Amino acid sequence: MHEARVVADLVDKITEVAKENGTDHVDAVLVQLGAMSHLTEELFLGQFEVFAAGTPAENATLDITRADDPFSPAAKDVRLVSVVTSVELDSEQQK
């Protein structure tokens, strides 16, 4: 299923961002669905929950918006707009 691959790739990117920021937890994710994207917010959310399980994105607040320009070159895309992380250091890292 094409939609599943799109969401899985997005979760991989979110995991990469978390790693680059030195954290294993993502607080929030903002995603924009293109105006002509076949993904609905509900389908995206369901797929996201499946693919985010066990990753830094698990339990992240997910904000999904839909673009309104059907003529945009990105009208069929799913775009990762932002990832909010908080660096959590354990006592060993603070020494």
Side-chain angles (χ1 to χ4, degrees):
M1 175 182 269
H2 172 72
E3 293 86 359
R5 177 68 354 223
V6 169
V7 177
D9 288 346
L10 187 111
V11 170
D12 288 346
K13 179 61 179 170
I14 294 167
T15 300
E16 182 180 314
V17 169
K19 185 176 180 180
E20 289 171 358
N21 284 282
T23 186
D24 61 358
H25 177 74
V26 172
D27 295 313
V29 175
L30 174 58
V31 174
Q32 184 179 60
L33 304 178
M36 303 299 288
S37 172
H38 294 283
L39 278 168
T40 64
E41 289 87 354
E42 294 80 17
L43 180 58
F44 184 89
L45 178 59
Q47 292 289 319
F48 186 84
E49 289 174 353
V50 169
F51 287 104
T55 74
E58 185 174 26
N59 299 318
T61 300
L62 186 60
D63 186 7
I64 305 169
T65 63
R66 182 168 293 278
D68 57 4
D69 182 2
F71 301 106
S72 166
K76 293 184 179 180
D77 295 344
V78 175
R79 190 168 68 99
L80 179 60
V81 177
S82 67
V83 177
V84 178
T85 64
S86 60
V87 178
E88 298 175 355
L89 301 175
D90 64 26
S91 61
E92 291 299 316
Q93 291 173 317
Q94 293 178 6
K95 293 181 182 177

